[in-house]
């Protein structure tokens, strides 16, 4: 069973804990990760893109010129797609891009994402993460103590508004709860910082 150090917000080692093999020690399935990330991005699409077809564009009811004898190409409407101001061929319309995946696929993807982070040494476990008041400067100090140079995802067991408010203005830093955690965010951040209580909750949910 994999073991990992538990740090405090100063970056000092406090203890060592053992992680569950069923959550942090599975075989990483890259195809499942791809499918879940693709699904996440598709579900986030607004699908509001819209353009007008030749039937919806204003004007063009009269034939521009007679069919024959002008020497010009025959035209039926000045709102045909080849005209400036004309309609769009196969114009995009508002649509829903979302689709669902089986629960087993989502669970396997989450375990694969967590395992890959552990294998790459990108997981940091904190003994706790709490702040008495919103202070961006204090949270920046925590980021500095943990030596986080790039994008970092902080995962908590329970919501702490002071932590959320302190972190939201720091570029590359994002906070999440165990029940809002998703594979895309895990893979999209270089460091995965999680509290000890959140680790227990994750193992309880995905065991």
């Amino acid at each position: 069973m994999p073991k990992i150090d538990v740090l405090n917000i100063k970056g000092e080692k406090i203890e060592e804990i053992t992680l569950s093999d069923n959550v942090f020690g599975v075989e990483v399935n890259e195809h499942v990760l791809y499918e879940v990330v693709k699904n996440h991005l598709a579900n986030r699409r607004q699908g509001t893109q819209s353009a007008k077809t030749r039937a919806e564009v204003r004007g063009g009811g009269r034939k521009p010129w007679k069919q024959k004898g002008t020497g010009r190409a025959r035209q039926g409407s000045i709102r045909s797609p080849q005209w400036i101001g004309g309609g769009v061929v196969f114009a995009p319309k508002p649509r829903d891009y979302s689709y669902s995946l089986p629960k087993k696929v989502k669970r396997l993807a989450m375990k694969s994402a967590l395992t890959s982070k552990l294998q790459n040494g990108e997981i940091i476990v904190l003994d706790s993460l709490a702040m008495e008041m919103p202070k961006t400067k204090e949270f920046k100090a925590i980021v500095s103590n943990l030596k986080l140079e790039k994008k970092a995802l902080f995962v908590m067991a329970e919501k702490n508004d002071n932590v959320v408010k302190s972190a939201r203005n720091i570029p590359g830093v994002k906070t999440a709860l165990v029940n809002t955690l998703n594979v895309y965010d895990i893979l999209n951040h270089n460091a995965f910082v999680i509290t000890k209580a959140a680790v227990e909750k994750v193992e309880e949910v995905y065991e």
Side-chain angles (χ1 to χ4, degrees), residues 187-199:
L187 298 178
N188 194 38
H189 290 79
N190 303 92
F192 182 75
V193 186
I194 184 170
T195 63
K196 185 179 175 182
V199 169

Side-chain angles (χ1 to χ4, degrees), residues 33-163:
L33 290 175
Y34 160 75
E35 288 293 344
V36 172
V37 169
K38 184 175 75 168
N39 172 253
H40 177 82
L41 294 176
N43 292 349
R44 280 200 338 188
R45 291 185 70 173
Q46 288 184 315
T48 55
Q49 184 184 15
S50 182
K52 292 181 179 181
T53 64
R54 61 179 295 172
E56 298 165 319
V57 178
R58 181 182 178 89
R62 179 174 62 86
K63 189 173 174 65
W65 52 77
K66 64 182 184 177
Q67 181 82 344
K68 303 174 75 67
T70 64
R72 289 180 289 185
R74 55 193 176 190
Q75 299 291 334
S77 169
I78 62 170
R79 290 298 173 250
S80 295
Q82 71 269 25
W83 287 69
I84 293 175
V88 177
V89 182
F90 306 128
K93 293 297 177 185
R95 55 171 285 197
D96 182 11
Y97 289 92
S98 66
Y99 63 97
S100 59
L101 288 176
K103 288 182 180 179
K104 286 185 178 180
V105 172
K106 293 179 181 179
R107 286 177 66 86
L108 179 57
M110 180 62 74
K111 292 179 181 181
S112 293
L114 293 171
T115 299
S116 68
K117 283 295 176 186
L118 182 64
Q119 290 176 351
N120 295 332
E122 296 175 338
I123 289 185
I124 297 175
V125 179
L126 294 179
D127 60 337
S128 64
L129 182 62
M131 302 183 74
E132 295 179 359
M133 61 177 63
K135 283 285 184 180
T136 302
K137 188 176 181 180
E138 289 181 13
F139 202 91
K140 276 188 174 180
I142 295 174
V143 172
S144 178
N145 293 337
L146 298 176
K147 298 177 181 178
L148 305 175
E149 298 178 354
K150 296 182 180 179
K151 298 169 73 175
L153 178 67
F154 285 79
V155 182
M156 302 172 288
E158 295 179 355
K159 188 174 182 180
N160 185 312
D161 287 331
N162 291 336
V163 171

